[in-house]
Amino acid sequence: MTSADIPACCAASRQAAPLSQPAPPLQAAPSLQPAPLSQLAVARRAAPRLNRMIVLPGGTFRMGNEDVHANPLDGEGPVRDVRVEPFRIDPHTVTNAEFSQFVKETGYQTEAERFGWSYVFQGLLPPALARTAPSPAGTPWWRGIEGAAWNRPEGPGSHIQQRRKHPVVHVSWNDAAAYAAWAGKRLPTEAEWEYAARGGLDQATYPWGDELRPRGQDRCNIWRGRFPDQHDGRPGTVAADAYRPNGYGLYNTVGNVWEWCADAFTRDGDGRAMRGGSYLCHDSYCNRYRVAARTSNTPDSTTGNAGFRCAADA
C-alpha cells in the first residue's frame, strides 16, 4: 500500500498537489552528523531538554492490533511481541513556542514555507476561501492554501499568538527530523511510540483503557459531530498537554495531531509512518485515534493536523 491509498482525512499528500505552481528546490535539512564544535553546542543545548524527557525502561510488549477496530490494510497486525531498549521520549508534542525557538536560532525555513502552500481543513477557513481554494480530488475538506505554514496555520492573516502551547503543525517529516537533530534528539521509532503511548497497558484500545469516554469524560481531542460538516464546537488543535496523561506521563498520544515517526510506512514505499490520529478523526470515517492505528504521508507533505514529538537514547 502507498501513501495515496490512505483516506485523506488522515494525510493529504503533497503528491496530489492542488496548486499549479512548480515546487522550488528544497533546502537541505541540517546535517545529522555536525562538525565536532557543532556537536558540543548541540550537547550543551540538549542537556536541559533531555532532562525534561520521560525515561522509559523498555522491554517486550505486544504491538499491533487484530480486533474488530483494526484496519488490516494499514498493517496494524499481526499482534506480535516486540522488544524496545530503554529510551527517552517527550511528554508532549513539540509546541509552537518550542519550534519558534528553533527557527529563531537557526533561520530554518519549513517545506511549507519553501513550497509556498500547505493543506488546511476547510472548517477552519473563511467560507468564501473554503469554497474556492483548490483541493485534492474527492477530498473537499482539505484545501491547498497559499501562505499556510507553521506560524500561519490558516494562511495569511492567521497567527499562533494564542496557540504557543499548541502542537506545531504544517511540518513535514523532513522538518521534524531537522528540529530533532537541532535539539539533540531524534524521532521515535513506531515501536517506541506505541510502547510509550500504551502507558503500560496491554492491548488496550486507547492510552487509558478500552472505553472512549470513561464516566462520560473526554480524554482526547477528536471530531465531535458528523464529519466533515458538523462539529460540536470548533475543530482544531488544543494545548499539547491538554487532558490527563497516560500511565507513563505522556499527553495526547491519540487525537490532537498525527505524530511523525522515524520509520518508513512500508518496506517498498516512500511514505513515512505517523501515529495517534488527530482532531479530524471520527469513527464514521477514520477511527485511527487508537494506539495501534497507523497512517502515512510523503516526507515532504504538510497539513494542519500533523506534528511530532521527539525521542532520544536513554
Side-chain angles (χ1 to χ4, degrees):
M1 182 172 56
T2 68
S3 299
D5 298 316
I6 306 299
C9 71
C10 296
S13 171
R14 193 173 292 280
Q15 292 182 352
L19 302 185
S20 59
Q21 70 265 32
L26 294 183
Q27 167 186 315
S31 172
L32 299 184
Q33 301 294 331
L37 182 59
S38 298
Q39 288 179 344
L40 179 60
V42 168
R44 288 174 175 169
R45 182 171 56 242
R49 294 189 174 96
L50 293 176
N51 290 338
R52 292 193 292 269
M53 300 179 83
I54 295 171
V55 180
L56 296 180
T60 300
F61 76 107
R62 292 202 295 166
M63 183 174 178
N65 182 34
E66 297 175 281
D67 67 18
V68 296
H69 302 292
N71 293 308
L73 293 178
D74 289 352
E76 289 186 31
V79 176
R80 64 275 190 197
D81 290 340
V82 173
R83 179 170 180 79
V84 294
E85 298 302 317
F87 66 101
R88 300 171 186 261
I89 193 163
D90 287 340
H92 55 71
T93 50
V94 172
T95 65
N96 284 315
E98 292 168 329
F99 201 81
S100 294
Q101 188 64 31
F102 164 56
V103 171
K104 179 180 179 181
E105 291 191 20
T106 64
Y108 182 84
Q109 277 196 313
T110 61
E111 293 197 290
E113 292 171 288
R114 297 196 298 273
F115 277 103
W117 65 276
S118 188
Y119 285 110
V120 179
F121 176 64
Q122 66 173 8
L124 299 175
L125 297 169
L129 187 58
R131 288 193 301 269
T132 59
S135 64
T139 56
W141 45 86
W142 280 122
R143 295 288 178 169
I145 301 299
E146 295 187 25
W150 73 274
N151 55 348
R152 300 182 299 275
E154 291 79 53
S158 64
H159 55 77
I160 58 171
Q161 293 175 10
Q162 305 303 317
R163 288 179 267 183
R164 290 183 59 78
K165 294 184 178 181
H166 287 219
V168 64
V169 293
H170 297 294
V171 285
S172 68
W173 185 92
N174 296 318
D175 298 330
Y179 174 95
W182 167 82
K185 303 178 183 181
R186 57 177 172 80
L187 294 179
T189 66
E190 280 198 82
E192 288 173 334
W193 187 94
E194 187 170 327
Y195 172 89
R198 290 190 176 279
L201 300 180
D202 177 49
Q203 285 291 291
T205 304
Y206 308 109
W208 55 86
D210 290 322
E211 187 179 354
L212 178 60
R213 302 182 71 242
R215 296 181 296 279
Q217 298 177 348
D218 291 336
R219 298 293 296 272
C220 63
N221 178 27
I222 57 175
W223 190 270
R224 309 290 183 193
R226 185 184 64 249
F227 183 83
D229 302 315
Q230 184 266 321
H231 192 283
D232 298 335
R234 185 179 187 273
T237 59
V238 296
D241 61 354
Y243 304 101
R244 64 178 69 178
N246 71 3
Y248 287 157
L250 277 70
Y251 294 87
N252 292 333
T253 51
V254 298
N256 216 22
V257 294
W258 283 100
E259 300 182 23
W260 289 110
C261 289
D263 308 73
F265 188 65
T266 61
R267 293 182 180 179
D268 57 354
D270 62 348
R272 293 287 180 165
M274 299 193 297
R275 304 297 296 264
S278 80
Y279 61 84
L280 294 182
C281 285
H282 186 264
D283 186 57
S284 66
Y285 190 82
C286 168
N287 69 340
R288 293 185 176 90
Y289 46 91
R290 298 168 290 105
V291 289
R294 323 170 62 222
T295 195
S296 75
N297 212 341
T298 58
D300 63 347
S301 292
T302 58
T303 64
N305 70 337
F308 66 102
R309 77 179 72 212
C310 294
D313 296 338

